[in-house]
Amino acid sequence: MTKRVAILISGGGSNMVSLVKSMTGDHPARPVLVLSNNPDCSGLAKARDLGVETAAVDHRQFGKDRAAFEAAMNVHLDAVDLDMICLAGFMRILTADFTAKWGGRMLNIHPSLLPKYQGLNTYNRAIEAGDKTAGCTVHEVTAELDAGPILGQAEVPILDGDTADTLAARILIEEHKLYPAVLRQYAVGDRTPIKIG
Ligand code: GRF
């Protein structure tokens, strides 16, 4: 049975594009919805151009009421009969109720070699720590931010003179390889961690 996947985004959606483009041919999954908390983000137009259904739930309309925001997202997610969710540059913190509802079927990509540098500003933190390598991690989403079981990592060198921008660009190239590779496995129930680099 083909797995039905929703991808949640907040911005440019380059990871979403790489995931959508990977889900063709004999791939075990198909994209059925791209959902954003930002109705104006450029990723939504990219998803439409790729022929994927889109929806937006503007978190700003819900103030501090995260549960109401998530309930509105769940209306869209439940309507498409999902098997899995991929968070791809989705920049809202999720409640424990949401992560429990989708637990065991929700992935995220984070731009660090977890467990190092959970949260934001990962590139500068790695550079300032004097790390020799940085990278990205795909993990299952649990109630604790950026802390679920690790399903894959890609490593890149930190070069002399790297800035957050140059390092982010180098890591993003690897994100676009790692996330589709993990999704392809995960969609058939294979959680063997993937290593790239
Ligand atoms: C990626 O670096 C992702 O790891 C981070 O936000 C960025 C999203 O980029 N959480 P895009 O929207 O997929 O282009």
Side-chain angles (χ1 to χ4, degrees):
M1 269 291 275
T2 304
K3 295 285 165 38
R4 296 169 61 80
V5 180
I7 305 170
L8 270 54
I9 63 171
S10 297
S14 69
N15 276 292
M16 176 275 297
V17 168
S18 75
L19 289 173
V20 167
K21 286 185 170 170
S22 75
M23 285 184 264
T24 59
D26 67 354
H27 197 287
R30 287 292 183 272
V32 296
L33 180 68
V34 171
L35 173 62
S36 179
N37 64 300
N38 176 3
D40 303 320
C41 77
S42 60
L44 284 175
K46 291 176 194 163
R48 281 193 290 271
D49 287 348
L50 289 165
V52 183
E53 184 182 332
T54 63
V57 176
D58 189 342
H59 67 278
R60 291 167 299 191
Q61 295 181 350
F62 299 88
K64 291 190 193 314
D65 192 346
R66 287 187 193 274
F69 164 63
E70 290 173 353
M73 286 206 297
N74 278 332
V75 169
H76 291 283
L77 296 170
D78 288 333
V80 290
D81 191 20
L82 284 183
D83 296 297
M84 282 187 59
I85 293 176
C86 291
L87 306 180
F90 183 70
M91 302 304 285
R92 304 304 302 166
I93 298 215
L94 298 167
T95 70
D97 283 343
F98 190 86
T99 57
K101 173 176 165 74
W102 297 105
R105 45 196 182 134
M106 181 158 60
L107 308 182
N108 180 44
I109 189 157
H110 181 75
S112 79
L113 295 173
L114 291 172
K116 280 188 161 182
Y117 314 127
Q118 295 159 329
L120 298 174
N121 197 23
T122 56
Y123 315 109
N124 276 325
R125 288 157 71 198
I127 292 168
E128 281 160 18
D131 292 357
K132 295 280 173 264
T133 61
C136 53
T137 303
V138 175
H139 63 95
E140 269 187 48
V141 178
T142 57
E144 198 183 337
L145 183 70
D146 299 331
I150 290 174
L151 298 165
Q153 291 191 308
E155 199 166 315
V156 302
I158 297 182
L159 304 177
D160 284 348
D162 254 340
T163 63
D165 285 349
T166 60
L167 182 56
R170 195 174 315 114
I171 292 173
L172 193 61
I173 292 167
E174 301 305 311
E175 292 182 36
H176 296 163
K177 298 177 203 160
L178 180 67
Y179 211 170
V182 171
L183 173 62
R184 179 177 266 271
Q185 281 197 177
Y186 194 84
V188 292
D190 181 355
R191 296 172 186 212
T192 315
I194 292 176
K195 277 265 175 217
I196 297 179

